[in-house]
C-alpha cells in the first residue's frame, strides 16, 4: 500500500490551497480533513502517512493539543509534521511546540510547502510523476483525491467513455438518483464549450474547461477538470465539476451577493436586486412585502416575480406563511414546503416544494416587512442558499428602511424633493453630529463644497425641466463617487455638499475630488437626446486641521470653491490661509496671536515616527497648530514667521515644550515604550541664553527623562549668524537630550552642521523624499545623505514618506526611520493615545505567552 498525506485545516480555502499544491505535484493519496476527529474517520484502515500538514489558527496551547491528538491518529506518529500559520494564529513561530519539522505562513503554501518538506527530510522525497496513481492502490483510494464540499466528481472508463460511478454530490445537485447516472455515456452527461470532449479526456491535465452538466432541471453551467486515477485496480478518468449556480457553489453565491449589495437604493434598484436573486437561484416565486404602517390598512406588496401561468392571488391576510413572517417568525423548507399547505393554500396552488420566508428587520430589530421565495423543484445546498437569502433579506430591509426614512424626511422638510438627498437643514444637523463623534473618537474628515459651473445657462437655454434632469444625473454621479459612510446633500439650487469620513491621508480625499471632476466632465444627455457638458468647481476643508465647528468648515470649503472658480473652474482647491493673506492682515494676526495661548487657541499634534524594517513606532514629532476662531486652523508656515517677528516665539515655544513633554511623560507611564519626542526649536529660541534653563524646567516639572527628548534645529539657520546656538546645543546634548538636524539638504552648510553640532540624527527634507521615483538627482541626494550620515555614525530619518515607492527605496538604502502620511498623519492627543492603545492590544497576547 502507498502511504498518504494528511491535511488538517478548519478553513475550506486553506484546505483547497494545500490540496492543490500537493495534487499538482503528483501526490495521489491526499486525505483532507476539517479537524482531528474528521481525520480519524478518513484514516481508518488506511496505510501509514508520509506527511502531516496542520493549519494552526489559535494560540500556542491549542496548537500543542492539536499536535498531541494528531500523533495519536493511525499512521500519524512517525510522519513529519509541517505547521501552517494562518492570519489568526496568535503566537510566534519560535514558540511552536516540539515535534514540528518545519513551518510556513498560509501565504506561502503554493510556493514553499514542498520545499519545506524536502528540507525537513534532509533530502528530496520520492515524487511520483504527476498524473496516474501507481501500482498498489487499493480500490477507493481515488475518493480522497477530491476535496469534500460543493465539487462533484464522475469516474469514467477511458475505453468506453461511460460512467463507472458518480459522487453523492452529483446526485444531490442534479436532483437525479445515483442509479440514473451509471452506465451513461459521458457525452450524454457533459457538453464542453469550444473544445471536443475527446481532446479534454486525452489531455487529462487538470485544466478547467467551461461546460454544462446534465440535470433534472435541464443543465447546470460550470467548469470541469480531468485527471487520471485508478479505479478497482484499473486505469480510469476522474472528472471534477464545479457548478456556477449560486445555490450550489459558494463562490457563485458570493458573486451574487456582491452584485446585490452593489445596487444603489430606489425602486429600480430593488427590482434589479430581486431579478438577480430570482434568476441566479433559479427561483419560481419571489415577493417582498412592506408591513402595515401606523394608519395603514395592511401589508403592501413592493415587488413580485413569478415563473408560471397567470394566478389568482389571495389577499395577504389569507396567506398564512406571510402572516407568520410578518410576525417575526422565519420559515425555511428545502424540499417539503407542502407541509405548510394546510395553513397557506398558496404554496399548494403554486406547487412549491422549496420555500423560504424571512422577516425584514430595521436596525432596532423591528419587522419592516417580509421576503418570500419559492421553487417548484426545491432548493439547492441549504448551507449556501440560506445565507444568500438572509443577506438578500437584509439588503431589501436596508432599502425599505432608507425609503421610509426619505419619505419621513420629505414630510418633515428635511429631504430635497427633486434629488432625494438631505437638504441644507438635515446636512447641517448631520455635520454637527459628525463633528461631535469625530471629536470624541479623534477622527479626521473632509468637507467638500461643490458648485456647478454656469448652471444658470442650462435653465435659461433649455428650461427648468432640463435643469432638473441634469441635477438628478449630477446626484447619481456624486453618490457613485463616495462610500456608504460618507454624506452628500443638496445644499442649495446648484450647490452640493459632501462629508468624507474616516480620513487617514489627505491624498485619499484628493483622489475622490479628482474622481468627481472627471465624472462631471462626462457628457450628459437629456431625454430628447440633447448633449450637455456640465463641470464643477469644488472647495475642500479638513476637520480638525482647518476648523473645529460646522459653520467655519463650510465657510472655508466655500472660500476654497471660489478659489477654484478663480482658477478657471472645473477643478478643486484646498482651503488655506495664504502668506499673501498673512501679509495683508499681518497686524490683525499678530494682535490675535498675542492672545492665542491665553485663549486656548494653540494645539499640539503628534506625528509618529517608525522603524524602517519593522514599521513599529519609535517616536513622535510634536507640531504646533493655531486654531483661529474665525479663520480656522492656520498653517505654521504662516504664523511661525509672525511669532518670530514679534518675539512671541519664545513664550509659544516654551508652551509647546512643556505641553509636549507632559504628554510624552503620560504616555511613557501608561505604555512604557520609551518613545522619543521631537520638538522643533526656532532660530530665535536657539539664540536665547536662557534656552537651557527653559528645557531643564520643562523636564523637571513634567518628569520626562531627558534622553527621550530630541530637539530639532533646522539646517537653514546660519551657525555664524546665530550667537549662542552652538553653546546651547552642546549644553542640551550634555544634559542627555538628543539633537536632530531638520530639513537636511536644503541649506548651504550641511557638512558644517554635521561637523560643528552634536547631532545624533539627521532628517532628510520631504522635498527630496517626495521626488523619489520622479527625479533621479533627488534620489542620488537621498542615497548620498544616508551613506554620509552612517559613515559619521548618525542615524537618518526621512520625512514626507507618502507612497509605497518611497518606503521601498528608503528601505533598500538602509534609512533608519520614517515619518509621513503613508504611516500616519499628525494626530490629536486622543487619537495618538488610541494608536498606542491599539498597538498594546495587538501585542498583549504575544507578551502574555509563557517563555
Amino acid at each position: 500500500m502507498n502511504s498518504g498525506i494528511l491535511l488538517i485545516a478548519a478553513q475550506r480555502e486553506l484546505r483547497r490551497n494545500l490540496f492543490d499544491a500537493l495534487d499538482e505535484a503528483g501526490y495521489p493519496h491526499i486525505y483532507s480533513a476539517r479537524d482531528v476527529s474528521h481525520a480519524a474517520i478518513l484514516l481508518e484502515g488506511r496505510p501509514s502517512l508520509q506527511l502531516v500538514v496542520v493549519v494552526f489558527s489559535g494560540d500556542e496551547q491549542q496548537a500543542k493539543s492539536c499536535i498531541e491528538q494528531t500523533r495519536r491518529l493511525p499512521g500519524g506518529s512517525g510522519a513529519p509534521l509541517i505547521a501552517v500559520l494562518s492570519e489568526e494564529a496568535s503566537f510566534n513561530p519560535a514558540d511552536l511546540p516540539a515535534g514540528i519539522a518545519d513551518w510556513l505562513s498560509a501565504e506561502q503554501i503554493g510556493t514553499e510547502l514542498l520545499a519545506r518538506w524536502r528540507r525537513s527530510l534532509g533530502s528530496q522525497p520520492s515524487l511520483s510523476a504527476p498524473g496516474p496513481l501507481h501500482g498498489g492502490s487499493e480500490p477507493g483510494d481515488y475518493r480522497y483525491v477530491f476535496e469534500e464540499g460543493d465539487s462533484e466528481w464522475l469516474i469514467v472508463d477511458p475505453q468506453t467513455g461511460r460512467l463507472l460511478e458518480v459522487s453523492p454530490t452529483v446526485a444531490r445537485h442534479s436532483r437525479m438518483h445515483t442509479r440514473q447516472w451509471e452506465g451513461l455515456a459521458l457525452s450524454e452527461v457533459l457538453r464542453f464549450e469550444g473544445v471536443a470532449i475527446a481532446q479534454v479526456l486525452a489531455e487529462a491535465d487538470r485544466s478547467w474547461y467551461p461546460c454544462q452538466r446534465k440535470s433534472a432541471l435541464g443543465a447546470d453551467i460550470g467548469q470541469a477538470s480531468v485527471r487520471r486515477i485508478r479505479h478497482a485496480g484499473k486505469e480510469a478518468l476522474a472528472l471534477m465539476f464545479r457548478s456556477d449556480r449560486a445555490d450550489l457553489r459558494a463562490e457563485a453565491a458570493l458573486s451574487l451577493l456582491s452584485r446585490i449589495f452593489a445596487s444603489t437604493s430606489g425602486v429600480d434598484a430593488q427590482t434589479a436586486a430581486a431579478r438577480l436573486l430570482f434568476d441566479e437561484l433559479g427561483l419560481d416565486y419571489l415577493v417582498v412585502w412592506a408591513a402595515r404602517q401606523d394608519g395603514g390598512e395592511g401589508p403592501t406588496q413592493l415587488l413580485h416575480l413569478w415563473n408560471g401561468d397567470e394566478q389568482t392571488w389571495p389577499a395577504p391576510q389569507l396567506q398564512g406563511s406571510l402572516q407568520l413572517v410578518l410576525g417575526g417568525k422565519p420559515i425555511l423548507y428545502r424540499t417539503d414546503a407542502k407541509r405548510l399547505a394546510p395553513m397557506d393554500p398558496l404554496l399548494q396552488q403554486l406547487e412549491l416544494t422549496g420555500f423560504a420566508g424571512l422577516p425584514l428587520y430595521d436596525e432596532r430589530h423591528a419587522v419592516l416587512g417580509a421576503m418570500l421565495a419559492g421553487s417548484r423543484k426545491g432548493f439547492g445546498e441549504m448551507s449556501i442558499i440560506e445565507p444568500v437569502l438572509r443577506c438578500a433579506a437584509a439588503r431589501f430591509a436596508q432599502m425599505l428602511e432608507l425609503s421610509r426614512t426619505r419619505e419621513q424626511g420629505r414630510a418633515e422638510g428635511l429631504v430635497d424633493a427633486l434629488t432625494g438627498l438631505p437638504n441644507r437643514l438635515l446636512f447641517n444637523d448631520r455635520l454637527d453630529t459628525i463633528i461631535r463623534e469625530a471629536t470624541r473618537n479623534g477622527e479626521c474628515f473632509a468637507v467638500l463644497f461643490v458648485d456647478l459651473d454656469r448652471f444658470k445657462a442650462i435653465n435659461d437655454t433649455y428650461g427648468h425641466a432640463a435643469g432638473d434632469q441634469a441635477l438628478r444625473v449630477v446626484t447619481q454621479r456624486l453618490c457613485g463617487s463616495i462610500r456608504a459612510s460618507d454624506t452628500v446633500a443638496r445644499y442649495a439650487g446648484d450647490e452640493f455638499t459632501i462629508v468624507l469620513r474616516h480620513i487617514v491621508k489627505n491624498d485619499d480625499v484628493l483622489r475622490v475630488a479628482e474622481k468627481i471632476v472627471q465624472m462631471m466632465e462626462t457628457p450628459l444627455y437629456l431625454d430628447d437626446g440633447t448633449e450637455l457638458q456640465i463641470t464643477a468647481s469644488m472647495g475642500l476643508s479638513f476637520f480638525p486641521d482647518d476648523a473645529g465647528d460646522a459653520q467655519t468648515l463650510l465657510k472655508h470649503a466655500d472660500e476654497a470653491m471660489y478659489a477654484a472658480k478663480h482658477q478657471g473652474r472645473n477643478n478643486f482647491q484646498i482651503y488655506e490661509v495664504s502668506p499673501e493673506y498673512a501679509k495683508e492682515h499681518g497686524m490683525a494676526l499678530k494682535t490675535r496671536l498675542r492672545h492665542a495661548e491665553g485663549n486656548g487657541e494653540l494645539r499640539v499634534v503628534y506625528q509618529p515616527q517608525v522603524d524602517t524594517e519593522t514599521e513599529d513606532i519609535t517616536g513622535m514629532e510634536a507640531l504646533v497648530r493655531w486654531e483661529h476662531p474665525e479663520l480656522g486652523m492656520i498653517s505654521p508656515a504662516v504664523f511661525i514667521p509672525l511669532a518670530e517677528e514679534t518675539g512671541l516665539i519664545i513664550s509659544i515655544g516654551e508652551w509647546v515644550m512643556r505641553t509636549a513633554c507632559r504628554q510624552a511623560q503620560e504616555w511613557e507611564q501608561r505604555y512604557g515604550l520609551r518613545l522619543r519626542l521631537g520638538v522643533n526649536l526656532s532660530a530665535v529660541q536657539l539664540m536665547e541664553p536662557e534656552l537651557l534653563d527653559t528645557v531643564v524646567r520643562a523636564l523637571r516639572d513634567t518628569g520626562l527623562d531627558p534622553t527621550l527628548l530630541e530637539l530639532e534645529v533646522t539646517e537653514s539657520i546660519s551657525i555664524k549668524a546665530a550667537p549662542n546656538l552652538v553653546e546651547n546645543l552642546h549644553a542640551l546634548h550634555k544634559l542627555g537630550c538628543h539633537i536632530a538636524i531638520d530639513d537636511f539638504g536644503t541649506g548651504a552648510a550641511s557638512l558644517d552642521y554635521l561637523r560643528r553640532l552634536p547631532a545624533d540624527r539627521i532628517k532628510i527634507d520631504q522635498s527630496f523624499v517626495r521626488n523619489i521615483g520622479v527625479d533621479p538627482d533627488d534620489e542620488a541626494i537621498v542615497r548620498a545623505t544616508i551613506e554620509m550620515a552612517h559613515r559619521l555614525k548618525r542615524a537618518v530619518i526621512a520625512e514626507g514618506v507618502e507612497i509605497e515607492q518611497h518606503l521601498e527605496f528608503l528601505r533598500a538604502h538602509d534609512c533608519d526611520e520614517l515619518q509621513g502620511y503613508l504611516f500616519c498623519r499628525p494626530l490629536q492627543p486622543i487619537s495618538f493615545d488610541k494608536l498606542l492603545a491599539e498597538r498594546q492590544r495587538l501585542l498583549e497576547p504575544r507578551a502574555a505567552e509563557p517563555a
Side-chain angles (χ1 to χ4, degrees), residues 589-603 625-629 639 648 652 655:
L589 285 176
K590 288 176 185 177
T591 301
R592 185 75 199 201
L593 185 58
R594 292 183 186 279
H595 305 287
E597 181 185 340
N599 293 340
E601 296 170 11
L602 297 180
R603 307 277 186 269
R625 298 288 187 264
W626 179 19
E627 188 174 353
H628 192 284
F639 76 82
L648 293 172
I652 291 176
W655 178 85

Side-chain angles (χ1 to χ4, degrees), residues 19-300:
F19 176 88
D20 287 345
L22 293 162
D23 181 51
E24 289 171 6
Y27 291 93
H29 306 284
I30 305 173
Y31 312 117
S32 178
R34 294 182 299 273
D35 49 37
V36 176
S37 58
H38 184 201
I41 297 171
L42 293 180
L43 295 177
E44 186 175 355
R46 299 283 154 191
S48 60
L49 297 171
Q50 56 179 321
L51 174 67
V52 177
V53 183
V54 183
V55 176
F56 295 121
S57 301
D59 57 25
E60 183 183 359
Q61 193 59 40
Q62 291 172 312
K64 183 178 180 181
S65 174
C66 180
I67 291 172
E68 291 174 353
Q69 295 177 52
T70 302
R71 287 307 187 196
R72 290 195 291 267
L73 289 171
S77 59
L81 191 151
I82 293 181
V84 177
L85 303 188
S86 72
E87 292 182 357
E88 293 77 23
S90 58
F91 57 92
N92 292 321
D95 299 325
L96 281 167
I100 292 179
D102 209 333
W103 71 274
L104 64 152
S105 66
E107 294 81 8
Q108 297 174 302
I109 289 173
T111 58
E112 288 292 317
L113 178 58
L114 293 175
R116 300 291 172 94
W117 183 15
R118 296 186 187 115
R119 188 173 70 186
S120 71
L121 295 177
S123 61
Q124 184 166 328
S126 174
L127 288 174
S128 305
L133 302 186
H134 293 273
S137 299
E138 288 296 312
D141 278 355
Y142 67 90
R143 296 174 185 272
Y144 298 98
V145 174
F146 301 94
E147 173 81 348
E148 89 292 342
D150 53 25
S151 297
E152 311 168 14
W153 48 264
L154 308 93
I155 307 301
V156 181
D157 185 333
Q159 303 301 321
T160 65
R162 293 189 174 275
L163 294 181
L164 298 172
E165 188 179 356
V166 299
S167 68
T169 316
V170 175
R172 189 169 67 250
H173 287 180
S174 66
R175 318 281 174 85
M176 295 171 59
H177 195 276
T178 306
R179 290 193 299 271
Q180 294 177 265
W181 291 91
E182 294 175 2
L184 290 179
L186 186 61
S187 57
E188 300 177 57
V189 175
L190 288 178
R191 186 169 72 249
F192 288 90
E193 299 175 10
V195 61
I197 192 169
Q199 179 183 342
V200 175
L201 297 180
E203 292 178 354
D205 59 357
R206 297 179 176 80
S207 298
W208 290 95
Y209 298 94
C211 63
Q212 296 183 28
R213 192 256 297 123
K214 180 182 178 70
S215 167
L217 306 177
D220 286 342
I221 298 174
Q223 308 95 39
S225 167
V226 185
R227 67 194 68 196
R228 302 182 189 281
I229 66 165
R230 293 188 70 82
H231 176 268
K234 296 180 181 180
E235 296 283 346
L237 296 172
L239 285 87
M240 184 182 290
F241 177 79
R242 294 178 182 171
S243 175
D244 284 343
R245 277 174 47 190
D247 59 337
L248 296 181
R249 187 167 170 226
E251 291 91 336
L254 285 173
S255 173
L256 167 62
L257 289 176
S258 68
R259 284 176 284 160
I260 288 176
F261 276 84
S263 57
T264 55
S265 57
V267 176
D268 291 343
Q270 283 187 1
T271 304
R275 175 55 66 180
L276 271 173
L277 191 68
F278 191 79
D279 292 342
E280 294 283 340
L281 295 186
L283 301 176
D284 295 307
Y285 175 67
L286 179 64
V287 61
V288 175
W289 293 87
R292 179 180 67 85
Q293 292 183 271
D294 294 340
E297 296 181 357
T300 305

